[in-house]
Amino acid sequence: MPHEGLPSETAKPYIVAGMPMYNEEETIGSVVIRALRHVDEVICIDDGSSDASARIAEACGATVIRHRVNRGYGGALKTLFIKAREMDADALVLLDSDGQHETEDIPNMLKPILSGEADFTIGSRFVEGGGGTDMPAYRRLGIKVITAASNLSSDLGIKDTQSGYRAFSRTALDRLRFDAEGMELSLEMLEDAHEKQLRVLEIPTVIRYDVPKGSNFTAVSHGFTVMTWAMLSLSQKKPLLVLGIPGFGLLAAAAAMGFRTAQDFTLQLDSIIGSGISAVWVGLLGLSLMATGLVLQSAQRFLRLLLVREFGLD
Ligand SMILES: Nc1nc2c(ncn2[C@@H]2O[C@H](COP(=O)(O)OP(=O)(O)OP(=O)(O)O)[C@@H](O)[C@H]2O)c(=O)[nH]1
Ligand SMILES: [Mg+2]
């Protein structure tokens, strides 16, 4: 049973491991058994698996929560957070049930949380000592691109934004809020942690790709979903960057086209009108993109100022 109140030197912290689970009968048993060596309780969120995952997880000592319909990775994490809060957990460690995350690293993930050094740890492939066994090149590239886009929008300073190996303190469990249903939740959660000034720390870990259900091309569609989310977030946070730079590029192209038109003034009238008109259109598009970027950027500043002045929110 969980103890009451905050962890102290005398009270042993109550640790829960949470695993989103979808058709993982080949691996879930050993992941649950190995995780139980390091935590007090394992909760698996089964999202309508059609195989024996839930039965095996329970037989190996996990508590299984079943969703009647598939609510996706994000839906599973929402249920997990609610359950961990209900259980009064001091920390929640989140790991995949497909065997990609090394359970031996659970103590490393929890150490900074239990010592009060961090609120949120990420098992990272891209800090010294971390890595991925047999990691496909397209996955590495995809993760780097998504990470670059998300750091551009929020200056998160996180090297591995796509790792699902994460641990949370009681404070993080209480304060983090997220809406996404799919894998884009990985970024939403990091941005929320950044906005709420939670202390995030990357812990080196090796993520395995030589597991029975190794990386497949659904990962590519996950990648696109996450990338779309990153770009939307970037355009909301930095509209001047997203619209202003292409706008300026178009304006410069229009100027070059216009200049050529002027130079070719002696050529046939048709071609002069054609390229001149294109230059005007491209220039107008560039100008309007830049203007939209400027308006959105200042609207954003205005709103932020208003929130701070009127409601004391930051
Ligand atoms: N509850 C629930 N779990 C899911 C769902 N989709 C995936 N999972 C689980 O979430 C974890 C991560 O999913 P994966 O598909 O392995 O995602 P990934 O590790 O980023 O991608 P790969 O490299 O292709 O393995 C696994 O433990 C899955 O069983 C879902 O719709 N619902
Ligand atoms: Mg996986």
Side-chain angles (χ1 to χ4, degrees):
M1 275 296 288
H3 69 86
E4 296 292 321
L6 289 165
S8 70
E9 278 175 23
T10 47
K12 190 177 169 291
Y14 192 72
I15 312 293
V16 174
M19 301 175 195
M21 179 177 77
Y22 189 59
N23 291 337
E24 305 285 9
E25 64 181 1
E26 284 178 85
T27 46
I28 189 64
S30 71
V31 180
V32 168
I33 289 169
R34 285 185 288 125
L36 277 169
R37 292 182 195 146
H38 306 284
V39 302
D40 298 292
E41 190 149 351
V42 172
I43 311 286
C44 294
I45 311 292
D46 182 35
D47 237 1
S49 296
S50 55
D51 66 2
S53 299
R55 205 166 37 81
I56 296 173
E58 269 167 349
C60 293
T63 301
V64 175
I65 299 178
R66 292 173 176 84
H67 285 169
R68 275 194 299 158
V69 289
N70 185 286
R71 288 179 43 202
Y73 183 81
L77 258 57
K78 276 176 214 153
T79 303
L80 206 48
F81 267 56
I82 292 170
K83 184 72 184 168
R85 283 185 212 121
E86 272 175 20
M87 292 168 79
D88 199 22
D90 291 305
L92 168 72
V93 57
L94 172 70
L95 68 162
D96 286 357
S97 27
D98 59 2
Q100 283 194 281
H101 299 152
E102 296 283 9
T103 48
E104 282 69 32
D105 285 339
I106 291 178
N108 298 338
M109 295 286 290
L110 291 171
K111 204 171 155 204
I113 286 181
L114 298 177
S115 69
E117 193 191 332
D119 296 306
F120 181 168
T121 55
I122 301 171
S124 176
R125 287 160 278 200
F126 304 118
V127 291
E128 211 184 317
T133 51
D134 298 333
M135 184 170 174
Y138 73 91
R139 292 288 328 245
R140 182 181 292 272
L141 180 71
I143 294 167
K144 293 272 179 193
V145 172
I146 291 168
T147 299
S150 49
N151 279 329
L152 203 61
S153 101
S154 300
D155 309 317
L156 296 173
I158 303 291
K159 293 198 170 78
D160 195 345
T161 57
Q162 293 309 293
S163 167
Y165 202 177
R166 298 176 174 197
F168 309 92
S169 68
R170 183 189 282 273
T171 310
L173 283 174
D174 286 342
R175 300 196 62 196
L176 282 173
R177 295 286 178 271
F178 39 86
D179 284 322
E181 293 288 314
M183 294 283 181
E184 66 278 23
L185 168 118
S186 56
L187 285 184
E188 188 188 10
M189 190 191 265
L190 287 177
E191 292 201 354
D192 194 45
H194 187 67
E195 276 163 27
K196 290 177 179 158
Q197 298 179 337
L198 297 179
R199 292 157 305 158
V200 183
L201 199 65
E202 285 184 274
I203 307 294
T205 191
V206 175
I207 294 185
R208 308 190 70 93
Y209 286 83
D210 53 351
V211 291
K213 261 175 74 182
S215 201
N216 57 42
F217 275 89
T218 53
V220 176
S221 85
H222 287 159
F224 276 112
T225 316
V226 180
M227 193 59 203
T228 310
W229 198 92
M231 291 320 290
L232 283 173
S233 168
L234 182 62
S235 63
Q236 273 169 13
K237 292 203 168 116
K238 297 195 177 160
L240 193 55
L241 183 79
V242 173
L243 298 173
I245 290 179
F248 183 75
L250 287 175
L251 198 63
M257 287 160 82
F259 182 66
R260 250 189 63 198
T261 308
Q263 271 191 332
D264 297 347
F265 199 66
T266 50
L267 293 177
Q268 291 176 357
L269 193 65
D270 280 356
S271 66
I272 293 167
I273 291 170
S275 116
I277 285 176
S278 311
V280 170
W281 280 118
V282 173
L284 279 177
L285 185 62
L287 267 177
S288 55
L289 279 185
M290 285 170 68
T292 314
L294 264 173
V295 170
L296 288 176
Q297 189 90 12
S298 47
Q300 192 191 45
R301 272 170 188 238
F302 175 74
L303 271 176
R304 199 174 291 148
L305 265 175
L306 198 74
L307 284 174
V308 173
R309 279 201 197 140
E310 298 297 319
F311 305 106
L313 299 171
D314 197 1

